[in-house]
Amino acid sequence: MLAVLPLTSLGVTFESKSFEQLVLEAEQIFIGQASGGVPRRHSGGAIVTDVGFSGAVVLKGDPAAAPPTLMVAGGRLGSENFNVPGPPRFVPGTTYLVFVQGNGRTIFPVVGGDAGMFVVREDATTGRGLVFDFRGQVIANTSV
């Protein structure tokens, strides 16, 4: 239930989290490519967008939950637009490492907001995966 969604003037800020906190608080952790979002009206009346992820690999949580779909508050439905300031957006075609908590129950189901979503890109020189935080800083090399 998204009890806070009827609040049209809300904004969202997130508490800073360590990597250990992200792992402990996450109900699910996965790597997957954002495949776009499908806006719809939530039963509470607000507009939400279901963001899908293709090629997902579940690292924590139920592997049967792949491919994951995250329900985030906001979106455009017909001529109506509902925007929640604060949460980062998933860009279609971008691969993410995501730490999920409260999917379907919270405005933005990523632990710590931008602290719990990382971009994974292939290094053009080595072909190895590089993991970047949301601010664009490299944090790890990976074989993904």
Side-chain angles (χ1 to χ4, degrees):
M1 174 181 217
L2 294 173
V4 293
L5 283 179
L7 303 173
T8 56
S9 63
L10 70 110
V12 178
T13 57
F14 298 99
E15 179 184 332
S16 181
K17 304 274 184 183
S18 70
F19 187 78
E20 291 79 16
Q21 287 174 308
L22 295 175
V23 172
L24 286 173
E25 293 179 24
E27 297 164 347
Q28 182 184 50
I29 302 170
F30 69 87
I31 298 173
Q33 185 178 71
S35 55
V38 177
R40 64 180 171 87
R41 185 142 331 260
H42 184 268
S43 61
I47 298 172
V48 297
T49 300
D50 295 321
V51 180
F53 293 85
S54 60
V57 176
V58 176
L59 305 172
K60 178 181 178 182
D62 183 3
T69 299
L70 300 181
M71 185 179 76
V72 297
R76 182 175 209 67
L77 193 58
S79 62
E80 191 178 350
N81 190 38
F82 177 54
N83 183 34
V84 178
R89 306 273 183 243
F90 289 100
V91 177
T94 301
T95 300
Y96 294 94
L97 166 62
V98 187
F99 294 74
V100 181
Q101 180 187 53
N103 191 22
R105 301 183 314 267
T106 63
I107 288 174
F108 189 72
V110 177
V111 179
D114 61 7
M117 61 186 279
F118 300 86
V119 175
V120 180
R121 290 193 296 251
E122 185 177 297
D123 182 297
T125 306
T126 65
R128 295 196 59 144
L130 297 176
V131 179
F132 296 82
D133 67 16
F134 197 75
R135 290 162 194 79
Q137 301 296 311
V138 175
I139 63 161
N141 291 320
T142 178
S143 60
V144 175

